[in-house]
């Protein structure tokens, strides 16, 4: 029978709908509801910059080829996307109105230029004059002149201006809102100390339009915001005389000239101005032209001012030091003796920083090798590595310059690291390095001791506070040997890495054999199920879209293997009628972003478990350097499986992933409510080692 798949991009919109559900949930604290609205908006921006742009480019290719990549014709997917996005935007607008009502109950208001008190008017005029005006550059628009360059991710005010003596003519202008220079939110003075009045920067500018254009003599102004989302992909040229860093810099510049993929505007905008902008931007009916409410670029609301009544952070949201490190002076001493599994953000990330700091100062440490994909703005990881160099250690950083939207910051990190004497590797020209690895070597009594860590998430202490990930610290010799082999391959980008990577015996490494090993594990479960014996697997991932692995899941479900999936985002599998055991798939969206990748196979009772940097996506399995590390110690296997089982019992924040992507919550059929992120905290806090 023909097999069904849900289109990847449609299932991604299903994930973003789950984010919006959190904003809709009145049991969620008000500041978090606002943050979820910001996350929803930011996610959607990136979706249009990357995925919608890709679909539009794909329409230029033969339909048969593209259908195999996208599961459906790109033109049909784009039609579905537009319908879903408009529907979600309506839900977003209703939610924001509801949130504002809740804000009013706490005496927090966002005021526009029409509803200011006399003292607030004076404040806004003075604030604009002293803080904002120097950053405001009005641009007049003309029929016979090309549209000025509009920066991606920026917010713009579209202005229609008239004089009273003009009957049918308007002058148009645009102003880029200088959010980077001035911030998005301005707190206004109030007569009631319990009341908090905020004003958005664009409204500060709109209030001052008569002042800005005073020398033109205009009498009437109508002003509304809009934003343009552009294609964010760029191609790297094949010039062998150009370094990868130079190619990335060139690509970043070309990204700024990307074609518009979405135009979002205030539906109250002057109709003639709207038509003028659409014409000047060369937009057509096939482009996403989306009418919206007054406020755009809602991503800034992720950093909404702290103006609400004191929110008492639940104890379950406070990170704590892993018990193995609580009563020791040195993390290193523990790791050399035993493996430790850290689960963030429940466990403090300080232990990772401490290990690197200890290594930087330890006179016996000779070298540190580490991969870097997305780093914190003032990275403590990098600071520790620089200190290590200054203390005479040989430090190597595999820095992935092509980490999407982090290219510019990684170029700056490259410059700083090289200036400090760090050896910077840039990987291979045709594949990203996404594996999260670190190996530290020390020499004691003429003997080399190796230890380090492997993670499911970035080495980033900032995101580790909100991303739920696993990191295992180990000194296992076989694991360290494999990590060394990967770094050996990375140090020789002009040499085919196949032989070196295939010699790894413990880590599952892509693109060489991770896929094959996963399939082999599933095949063993299928054999056991067909023999009438226990067969079970649990997969936790961010995305499941690789068609080959999904077909293998279908084969396993048809044979009777019990399959449980915890997938945060994209999930393209669909239960088929011939399945002996239906796949149980859920998605958990809560205060922390579920980011870990875990694989569990019953394996005749051996219970093989891995944590990994790789999702079940073709790009991760075939086109990136990825690594999955086996969990070898029985107590850690038991701990990790217990965490998976807690999530599988979630009946508060878990949604069912089904064919129609209805995002229905798992039904609470027991008296006990299980919110997995809270229960995981309790479980880890009470663990005895």
């Amino acid at each position: 029978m023909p097999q069904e798949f849900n289109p990847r991009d449609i299932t991604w919109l299903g994930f973003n709908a789950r984010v919006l559900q959190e904003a809709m949930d009145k049991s969620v604290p008000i500041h978090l509801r606002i943050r979820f609205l910001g996350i929803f908006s930011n996610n959607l921006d990136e979706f249009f910059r990357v995925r919608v742009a890709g679909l539009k480019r794909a329409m230029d290719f033969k339909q048969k080829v593209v259908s195999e990549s996208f599961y459906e014709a790109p033109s049909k997917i784009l039609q579905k996307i537009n319908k879903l996005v408009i529907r979600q935007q309506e839900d977003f607008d209703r939610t924001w109105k509801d949130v504002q009502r809740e804000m009013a109950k706490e005496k927090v208001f966002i005021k526009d230029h029409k509803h200011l008190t006399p003292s607030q008017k004076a404040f806004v005029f003075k604030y604009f004059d002293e803080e904002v005006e120097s950053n405001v550059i009005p641009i007049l628009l003309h029929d016979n002149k090309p549209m000025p360059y509009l920066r991606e991710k920026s917010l713009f005010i579209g202005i229609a201006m008239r004089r009273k003596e003009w009957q049918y003519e308007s002058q148009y202008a645009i102003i880029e809102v200088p959010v980077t220079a001035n911030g998005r939110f301005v707190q206004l003075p109030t007569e009631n100390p319990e009341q908090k009045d905020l004003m958005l920067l664009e409204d500060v500018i709109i209030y001052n339009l008569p002042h800005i254009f005073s020398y033109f003599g205009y009498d009437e102004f109508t002003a509304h915001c809009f934003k343009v989302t552009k294609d964010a992909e760029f191609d790297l040229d094949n010039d062998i005389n150009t370094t990868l860093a130079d190619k990335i810099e060139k690509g970043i510049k070309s990204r700024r000239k990307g074609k518009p993929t979405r135009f979002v505007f205030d539906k109250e905008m002057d109709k003639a101005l709207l038509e003028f902008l659409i014409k000047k931007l060369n937009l057509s009916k096939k482009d996403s032209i989306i009418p919206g409410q007054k406020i755009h670029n809602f991503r800034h609301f992720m950093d909404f001012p702290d103006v609400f009544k004191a929110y008492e952070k639940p104890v379950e949201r406070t990170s704590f030091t892993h018990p193995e490190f609580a009563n020791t002076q040195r993390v290193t001493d523990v790791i050399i003796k035993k493996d430790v599994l850290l689960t963030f953000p429940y466990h403090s990330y300080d232990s990772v920083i401490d290990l690197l700091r200890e290594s930087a100062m330890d006179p016996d440490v000779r070298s540190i090798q580490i991969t870097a994909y997305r780093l914190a703005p003032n990275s403590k990881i990098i600071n520790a590595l620089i200190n290590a160099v200054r203390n005479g250690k040989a430090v190597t950083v595999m820095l992935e310059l092509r980490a999407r939207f982090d290219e510019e910051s990684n170029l700056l990190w490259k410059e700083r690291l090289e200036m400090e004497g760090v050896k910077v590797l840039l990987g291979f020209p045709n594949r990203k390095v996404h594996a999260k690895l670190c190996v530290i070597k020390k020499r004691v009594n003429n003997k080399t001791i190796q230890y380090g860590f492997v993670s499911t998430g970035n080495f980033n202490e900032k995101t580790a506070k909100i991303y739920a990930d696993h990191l295992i610290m180990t000194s296992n010799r076989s694991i360290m040997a494999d990590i060394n082999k990967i770094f050996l391959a990375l140090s020789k980008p002009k040499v085919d890495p196949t032989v070196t990577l295939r010699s790894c015996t413990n880590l599952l490494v892509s693109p060489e054999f991770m896929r094959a090993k996963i399939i082999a594990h599933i095949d063993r479960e299928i054999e056991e199920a067909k023999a009438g014996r226990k067969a079970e697997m649990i997969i936790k991932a961010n995305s499941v879209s690789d068609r080959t692995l999904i077909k293998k899941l279908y084969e396993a479900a048809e044979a009777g293997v019990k399959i449980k999936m915890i997938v945060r985002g994209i999930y393209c599998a669909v239960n088929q009628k011939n399945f002996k055991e239906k796949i149980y798939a859920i998605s958990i969206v809560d205060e922390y972003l579920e980011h870990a990748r875990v694989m569990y196979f019953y394996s005749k009772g051996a219970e093989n478990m891995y944590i990994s940097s790789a999702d079940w996506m073709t790009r991760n399995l075939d086109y990136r350097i990825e690594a999955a590390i086996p969990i070898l110690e029985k107590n850690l296997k038991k701990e990790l499986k217990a965490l998976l089982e807690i999530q599988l019992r979630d009946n508060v924040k878990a949604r069912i992933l089904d064919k129609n992507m209805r995002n229905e919550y798992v039904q609470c059929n027991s008296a006990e409510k299980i919110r997995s992120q809270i229960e995981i905290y309790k479980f880890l806090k009470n663990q005895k080692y």
Side-chain angles (χ1 to χ4, degrees), residues 112 135 137 180 193-194 299 421 437 475 524 556 586 601 616 630:
D112 63 22
N135 298 316
I137 305 173
T180 303
E194 292 186 3
R299 62 190 175 87
L437 308 168
S475 60
R524 281 195 288 273
I586 62 169
F601 304 96
W616 280 24

Side-chain angles (χ1 to χ4, degrees), residues 139 146-152 156 174 176 230 253 255-258:
I139 299 174
M147 188 72 174
Y149 166 68
L150 299 184
R151 285 201 296 184
E152 231 276 315
F156 295 91
I174 57 174
E176 181 178 351
K230 297 182 181 180
K253 290 176 182 176
R255 173 185 282 164
R256 294 167 186 156
K257 301 175 184 176

Side-chain angles (χ1 to χ4, degrees), residues 383-623:
N383 288 338
L385 296 174
I386 288 173
N387 285 336
V389 172
R390 291 172 179 173
N391 283 321
K393 322 300 181 190
V395 177
T396 302
V397 175
M398 168 55 234
L399 185 63
E400 182 49 75
L401 295 183
R402 291 158 294 187
R404 185 180 285 137
F405 305 134
D406 275 60
E407 300 97 343
E408 289 184 73
S409 60
N410 283 358
L411 281 170
L412 293 174
W413 282 124
K414 173 182 179 293
E415 185 178 337
R416 183 182 173 192
L417 287 167
E418 289 180 335
M419 186 171 62
E420 293 285 352
V422 174
K423 181 180 179 180
V424 177
L425 304 177
L426 301 179
F428 301 99
N430 58 346
R431 54 175 68 106
K432 288 184 181 179
V433 178
H434 194 249
K436 321 299 183 187
L437 308 168
C438 177
V439 58
I440 301 163
K441 297 177 185 176
K442 63 190 300 184
R443 190 79 175 163
V444 181
N445 297 326
N446 293 322
K447 181 181 178 183
T448 299
I449 299 172
Q450 301 185 66
Y451 53 97
F453 45 86
V454 180
S455 179
T456 65
N458 296 307
F459 299 141
N460 184 319
E461 65 273 12
K462 182 179 178 182
T463 55
K465 293 178 181 177
I466 53 173
Y467 280 36
D469 272 304
H470 299 298
L471 179 148
I472 188 165
M473 292 182 165
T474 182
S475 60
N476 181 284
R477 294 177 68 182
S478 299
I479 298 296
M480 290 299 112
D482 280 359
I483 296 177
N484 278 309
K485 289 173 185 175
I486 294 173
F487 275 106
L488 177 62
L490 294 174
S491 68
K492 300 177 180 179
K494 294 182 180 180
V495 178
D496 185 354
T498 302
V499 174
T500 305
L501 294 179
R502 283 187 178 171
S503 66
C504 293
T505 56
N506 282 270
L507 294 179
L508 308 188
V509 181
S510 70
E512 301 311 325
F513 57 81
M514 184 186 288
R515 176 194 292 280
K517 293 284 187 179
I518 292 171
I519 289 173
H521 275 296
I522 299 174
D523 281 337
R524 281 195 288 273
E525 299 303 317
I526 291 172
E527 289 174 13
E528 290 298 291
K530 286 181 176 179
R533 294 186 288 268
K534 182 176 179 178
E536 181 183 357
M537 51 190 286
I538 303 171
I539 304 299
K540 181 178 180 183
N542 293 312
S543 300
V544 175
S545 64
D546 181 77
R547 188 174 291 204
T548 301
L549 289 187
I550 291 175
K551 286 180 178 179
K552 186 57 66 172
L553 286 179
Y554 289 173
E555 186 182 339
E558 189 176 356
V561 178
K562 288 186 177 179
I563 304 172
K564 298 172 184 176
M565 311 282 289
I566 306 166
V567 184
R568 188 190 83 232
I570 296 164
Y571 179 70
C572 298
V574 175
N575 275 318
Q576 314 288 304
K577 291 180 180 178
N578 61 326
F579 286 178
K580 189 174 180 180
E581 281 278 352
K582 297 295 183 187
I583 299 172
Y584 179 70
I586 62 169
S587 178
I588 296 169
V589 179
D590 201 345
E591 190 168 339
Y592 300 145
L593 182 90
E594 293 293 338
H595 191 252
R597 293 90 164 184
V598 184
M599 294 182 287
Y600 165 87
F601 304 96
Y602 182 68
S603 301
K604 299 182 181 181
E607 298 193 300
N608 293 119
M609 297 192 78
Y610 300 87
I611 63 170
S612 175
S613 56
D615 282 308
W616 280 24
M617 303 178 75
T618 305
R619 71 182 188 190
N620 298 86
L621 299 167
D622 296 339
Y623 303 109

Side-chain angles (χ1 to χ4, degrees), residues 175-410:
I175 292 176
E176 181 178 351
V177 182
V179 175
T180 303
N182 296 102
R184 186 75 183 275
F185 304 95
V186 180
Q187 189 159 348
L188 304 175
T190 58
E191 295 177 5
N192 181 356
E194 292 186 3
Q195 181 171 317
K196 301 289 191 300
D197 286 352
L198 300 172
M199 194 173 188
L200 296 174
L201 185 60
E202 58 265 34
D203 280 316
V204 170
I205 296 170
I206 291 170
Y207 178 79
N208 283 280
L209 287 177
H211 169 68
I212 296 170
F213 293 99
S214 58
Y215 39 86
F216 287 105
Y218 296 120
D219 306 300
E220 298 175 8
F221 298 88
T222 58
H224 300 86
C225 289
F226 69 92
K227 70 175 180 180
V228 178
T229 309
K230 297 182 181 180
D231 185 340
E233 287 291 358
F234 57 75
D235 298 317
L236 300 179
D237 60 50
N238 295 317
D239 184 356
I240 59 173
N241 297 316
T242 306
T243 67
L244 179 60
D246 289 337
K247 291 177 183 178
I248 296 292
E249 284 192 42
K250 184 178 178 182
I252 292 168
K253 290 176 182 176
S254 71
R255 173 185 282 164
R256 294 167 186 156
K257 301 175 184 176
K259 294 179 181 178
T261 59
R262 181 179 55 153
F263 177 73
V264 185
F265 61 95
D266 186 336
K267 63 184 179 183
E268 301 297 325
M269 178 179 281
D270 180 274
K271 297 294 184 290
L273 172 58
L274 175 62
E275 290 176 7
F276 183 89
L277 290 172
I278 290 173
K279 176 185 174 184
K280 283 291 187 181
L281 289 167
N282 295 316
L283 297 170
S284 65
K285 289 183 179 179
K286 70 178 183 179
D287 295 304
S288 297
I289 300 173
I290 302 171
Q293 298 298 316
K294 177 179 180 295
I295 300 175
H296 302 292
N297 265 19
F298 220 91
R299 62 190 175 87
H300 297 131
F301 282 63
M302 288 192 286
D303 300 311
F304 196 79
D306 184 14
V307 292
F308 297 103
K309 292 173 185 173
Y311 168 68
E312 191 172 341
K313 190 176 182 180
V315 65
E316 292 87 0
R317 298 298 185 189
T318 305
S319 299
F320 59 92
T321 301
H322 192 289
E324 291 282 14
F325 304 133
N327 298 310
T328 183
Q329 296 240 329
R330 283 167 40 102
V331 173
T332 306
D333 296 338
V334 177
I335 301 310
I336 288 175
K337 294 177 183 175
K338 64 192 300 188
D339 291 359
V340 176
L341 179 69
L342 294 171
T343 300
F344 309 121
Y346 312 97
H347 292 138
S348 170
Y349 203 80
D350 289 348
S351 300
V352 180
I353 307 297
D354 289 344
L355 181 64
L356 290 172
R357 283 176 175 162
E358 290 169 13
S359 302
M361 294 183 288
D362 188 338
D364 294 328
V365 167
R366 296 291 184 264
S367 67
I368 303 172
Q369 293 174 293
I370 193 169
T371 59
Y373 196 77
R374 300 189 196 280
L375 295 160
N378 296 303
S379 174
K380 294 179 181 178
I381 298 274
I382 294 295
N383 288 338
L385 296 174
I386 288 173
N387 285 336
V389 172
R390 291 172 179 173
N391 283 321
K393 322 300 181 190
V395 177
T396 302
V397 175
M398 168 55 234
L399 185 63
E400 182 49 75
L401 295 183
R402 291 158 294 187
R404 185 180 285 137
F405 305 134
D406 275 60
E407 300 97 343
E408 289 184 73
S409 60
N410 283 358

Side-chain angles (χ1 to χ4, degrees), residues 13-31:
L13 286 173
F15 154 66
N16 215 28
R18 295 190 284 278
V19 174
L20 190 54
Q21 281 180 325
E22 287 299 294
M24 294 176 179
D25 188 346
K26 293 189 176 183
S27 69
V28 174
I30 188 71
H31 70 286

